[in-house]
Amino acid sequence: MDWFLDRQDRASASLLRREITAFLTRHTVDQAEEIDDAALIVAELLANAYDHGQGDIWVSLQWTEARPVLEVHDMGAAFTLPREAPSAEQSRGRGLWIVSRFSSELAVAAKRAGGKVVRSVLPVVRPLELTLDLPARRVSPLPALSEARPEGGFGRESFLRALVVQLSTAIEQQQGPEAAQRAIAQVAADIGGQMEQEYRDAVAAHEAPLEPAQIAECLIRLKAAIGGTFEVVEVTEDRLVFVNSDCPFGAAVRQSPSLCRMTSSVFGGIAARNVGSSAVTLEERIAMGDPQCRVVVHLGAAAAKAERAHRYSAAP
């Protein structure tokens, strides 16, 4: 699950901390002390981003393994984590040192084209089944007034992009993020299936499963059709790697990063239908402040080893 936080709205950090804490509480059993520790980590990392970071802030919570992973992205410079408690004279570092005491893993990494991500493994363990039912976000990006045409009104692309973003947001607000993610995944699966059929007709590949190189070609073809600029940088039997410098959703995706699930579902669904199972890792995302997207599609047996990935399997 992903959120965009407005740096000018400090109150949104407190609201998000409560949302994440409530989510962790619903999905753990008899871990009150660990929940308190996790809430402290969330609060300190958000405060650090507001107090010492720069630019926009994005937050991601991934729970594909036993423990959830919290990531806080901003456009500030990376820093070195304190190895010991700061002295009373030091003006910063105390919060991060406290976080390091409670987190089973804490790391800071510079993003390739600027900015940083602080990643913490939270000290709670989920049950075997997990329902992603975080409360709804409040961001609802609409077409910018600067996109209006000289003759009046908005163009078709701006309108359709806003329609998709607003439908996703409305579902989250009315039915919760789980329903929104399921809707996005279902739409992406339907579109991906039709796009795959169009590709098969075009290359006369009607029956046999697509080879990895064909899957890559199919994915590039469908993304190019909607204005994406994806390129293939690696094709092996185990994985496909793509990069993209221009999101079809435009700048609005930075305020609605959950829309990345559309790309994940399309890519993962087509791959899984042809190799049995797949996993998609969104290593870099324009929606999280990166200058490009870097998407890795793990194929077949390699999918089981992928970390922090969306997983897909072929329908029976």
Side-chain angles (χ1 to χ4, degrees):
M1 303 299 291
D2 304 306
W3 299 265
F4 166 79
L5 296 181
D6 184 350
R7 181 171 289 280
Q8 305 306 315
D9 181 15
R10 184 64 181 255
S12 62
S14 296
L15 292 174
L16 180 55
R17 175 184 58 79
R18 289 198 292 269
E19 290 181 2
I20 292 177
T21 301
F23 171 67
L24 297 175
T25 302
R26 287 195 299 274
H27 296 290
T28 57
V29 180
D30 297 329
Q31 297 186 55
E33 183 176 345
E34 289 80 1
I35 292 293
D36 290 342
D37 294 344
L40 175 62
I41 292 171
V42 174
E44 290 292 344
L45 293 189
L46 293 180
N48 184 73
Y50 273 94
D51 294 339
H52 305 293
Q54 298 177 16
D56 291 327
I57 300 170
W58 298 270
V59 179
S60 175
L61 181 69
Q62 304 176 61
W63 207 345
T64 59
E65 306 299 332
R67 297 183 185 274
V69 178
L70 178 75
E71 294 183 348
V72 180
H73 302 244
D74 68 60
M75 302 310 296
F79 53 83
T80 301
L81 290 170
R83 295 186 177 181
E84 56 186 27
S87 65
E89 293 76 22
Q90 291 178 278
S91 60
R92 62 176 300 181
R94 188 171 303 278
L96 288 172
W97 183 81
I98 292 173
V99 168
S100 70
R101 300 300 94 188
F102 290 100
S103 176
S104 58
E105 180 182 330
L106 179 65
V108 179
K111 304 175 82 160
R112 286 199 306 159
K116 66 177 179 296
V117 54
V118 182
R119 179 180 296 113
S120 172
V121 177
L122 302 181
V124 297
V125 179
R126 65 172 172 84
L128 294 178
E129 297 297 329
L130 176 68
T131 302
L132 296 176
D133 61 348
L134 282 162
R137 293 175 296 104
R138 300 176 301 284
V139 177
S140 301
L142 292 170
L145 294 179
S146 60
E147 295 182 70
R149 299 176 300 179
E151 64 271 24
F154 294 102
R156 180 175 62 180
E157 181 178 346
S158 296
F159 173 79
L160 293 178
R161 185 192 67 226
L163 182 65
V164 172
V165 174
Q166 289 301 107
L167 281 173
S168 172
T169 302
I171 294 173
E172 286 191 2
Q173 291 175 340
Q174 296 176 22
Q175 301 181 39
E178 181 186 7
Q181 279 208 357
R182 289 183 182 278
I184 291 173
Q186 184 61 61
V187 169
D190 294 342
I191 293 174
Q194 192 74 348
M195 292 288 192
E196 179 185 343
Q197 188 57 53
E198 185 275 335
Y199 172 79
R200 286 178 173 276
D201 291 343
V203 300
H206 299 296
E207 300 295 337
L210 299 178
E211 298 293 330
Q214 292 177 306
I215 296 173
E217 184 180 29
C218 175
L219 298 179
I220 291 294
R221 182 187 180 95
L222 71 87
K223 278 297 186 179
I226 61 172
T229 58
F230 275 87
E231 299 178 0
V232 182
V233 297
E234 181 181 336
V235 177
T236 70
E237 293 297 316
D238 291 331
R239 72 178 199 165
L240 312 173
V241 182
F242 304 86
V243 294
N244 174 44
S245 59
D246 188 15
C247 179
F249 290 110
V253 78
R254 289 178 180 254
Q255 294 188 344
S256 191
S258 62
L259 287 171
C260 294
R261 191 60 188 260
M262 183 75 76
T263 294
S264 173
S265 296
V266 170
F267 282 28
I270 290 177
R273 279 194 294 272
N274 287 278
V275 300
S277 62
S278 69
V280 178
T281 304
L282 305 174
E283 292 188 345
E284 294 182 8
R285 302 163 63 184
I286 293 173
M288 287 285 191
D290 296 311
Q292 69 171 9
C293 295
R294 180 179 171 88
V295 181
V296 180
V297 182
H298 307 271
L299 305 174
K305 302 177 183 179
E307 296 181 353
R308 294 189 291 276
H310 298 142
R311 304 185 188 280
Y312 303 91
S313 59

